[in-house]
Amino acid sequence: MDVLAEQASVKSWFDEIYKKKKFKYLRSQNAYELFPTLLQVQPGEKHLDVACGLGLMMRSMTKRGLESYGVDLSDEAVRQGKLYCPDGNLQVGNAEALPFEDESFDHITCLGSLERMLNRPKALQEQVRVGTKDAKYCFMVRNSEHFIWRFFLKPLGLDNKKGHQDALNLEQWTALFESCGLKTRKVYRDHWPFYRSISFIWPFNIDYSKERRFFLPLRWAYEYIFVLEKAE
Ligand SMILES: C[S@@+](CC[C@H](N)C(=O)[O-])C[C@H]1O[C@@H](n2cnc3c(N)ncnc32)[C@H](O)[C@@H]1O
């Protein structure tokens, strides 16, 4: 399959999934409250969510007084996202050719999506281009060393090929980011499995925006959250 046909097939897979499952395809809004904390955002700053899906990350940012922009390949995602996050600026677009001027954003997020991109270096170089000199980046990416990926999804062929699902390990993600002009500030394990589990048993309010310390090895994470900045 050539690149254009492959990109069209990823897009149509996502259009269908969003039509069918809507918000059930994604995590709940609470899962997105952690990222503004990790990025230490301030009201009035400009944020871009690359592969914004239904606008959940954007909603968490606009709630905190940021001006938030989002781009997604799927026009069905953008249609639903505009209704869900009316204060955000969503548009259809490809992460590999972002429709923004150089140095436009203070914070850039890309969650659960880099694995889906056909040309990851290009998508990353574009994000570096549109970030300000001091921009902070937050990427959530799948760990290929997690047992679910290693022993079930990959060997049994259960990964979602039409949605171009993939995973890399910690060193491979780090090397990819560094080769595209980024420097890692910190890597966290994804907090959502923990928060989702305690939400079933804890009867009091949970502060989903709080950064937690975990005693399990980072390598056991299902997904990694990278916080990065531009290299010199
Ligand atoms: C698993 S969803 C995550 C959505 C969103 N980031 C979130 O966490 O709620 C992956 C998203 O990546 C988008 N996507 C895949 N390839 C893309 C590309 N090249 N450019 C822009 N969006 C893309 C899909 O349309 C889909 O909305």
Side-chain angles (χ1 to χ4, degrees):
M1 210 189 297
D2 74 11
V3 180
L4 282 179
E6 199 177 353
Q7 192 68 100
S9 109
V10 174
K11 177 198 173 304
S12 74
W13 188 83
F14 276 107
D15 280 340
E16 282 312 306
I17 206 84
Y18 285 126
K19 269 185 209 152
K20 208 157 54 186
K21 295 202 174 170
K22 303 188 168 71
F23 285 87
K24 287 201 197 98
Y25 173 63
L26 299 170
R27 298 175 174 194
S28 77
Q29 181 65 55
N30 289 334
Y32 297 79
E33 304 304 323
L34 175 70
F35 303 104
T37 306
L38 301 184
L39 286 168
Q40 300 175 316
V41 302
Q42 298 296 327
E45 290 182 320
K46 259 178 102 175
H47 161 248
L48 169 66
D49 193 29
V50 177
C52 60
L54 303 182
L56 290 105
M57 183 68 260
M58 297 175 65
R59 186 143 150 166
S60 172
M61 292 293 191
T62 54
K63 198 173 81 185
R64 287 168 173 79
L66 279 83
E67 194 184 335
S68 182
Y69 291 75
V71 168
D72 200 282
L73 199 59
S74 156
D75 30 35
E76 179 58 23
V78 170
R79 188 189 69 73
Q80 292 185 38
K82 281 183 173 170
L83 299 172
Y84 182 67
C85 184
D87 294 333
N89 305 277
L90 285 87
Q91 60 180 292
V92 177
N94 191 330
E96 294 169 25
L98 290 172
F100 303 107
E101 310 237 310
D102 296 359
E103 303 196 12
S104 299
F105 297 97
D106 303 301
H107 301 282
I108 300 184
T109 49
C110 187
L111 309 176
S113 303
L114 276 168
E115 300 89 331
R116 314 284 189 165
M117 290 172 191
L118 304 187
N119 188 339
R120 282 178 214 147
K122 184 80 188 104
L124 287 164
Q125 283 152 11
E126 275 294 90
Q127 295 181 49
V128 171
R129 178 182 70 75
V130 301
T132 59
K133 188 168 69 62
D134 300 320
K136 279 185 262 157
Y137 295 79
C138 188
F139 302 145
M140 188 170 74
V141 288
R142 190 186 293 261
N143 173 17
S144 63
E145 287 179 0
H146 190 270
F147 73 95
I148 292 185
W149 182 262
R150 247 176 109 184
F151 299 118
F152 294 98
L153 294 177
K154 205 63 188 158
L156 300 178
L158 300 175
D159 51 324
N160 161 234
K161 294 199 175 50
K162 286 191 180 153
H164 202 263
Q165 192 179 32
D166 196 14
L168 297 177
N169 68 24
L170 188 58
E171 287 74 25
Q172 290 166 327
W173 282 120
T174 305
L176 173 65
F177 299 147
E178 284 177 5
S179 72
C180 294
L182 291 164
K183 188 166 75 184
T184 305
R185 282 170 79 132
K186 198 155 178 189
V187 188
Y188 304 83
R189 59 188 303 125
D190 176 18
H191 286 34
W192 186 236
F194 164 77
Y195 275 131
R196 201 178 42 175
S197 318
I198 60 165
S199 70
F200 292 121
I201 51 169
W202 186 252
F204 309 106
N205 272 349
I206 298 169
D207 180 1
Y208 292 95
S209 68
K210 200 166 167 195
E211 181 196 330
R212 307 269 168 182
R213 279 180 193 210
F214 299 100
F215 298 103
L216 294 169
L218 187 60
R219 282 196 178 277
W220 291 7
Y222 184 55
E223 297 193 64
Y224 293 122
I225 301 173
F226 277 78
V227 175
L228 310 104
E229 62 195 4
K230 282 191 181 185
E232 292 318 303

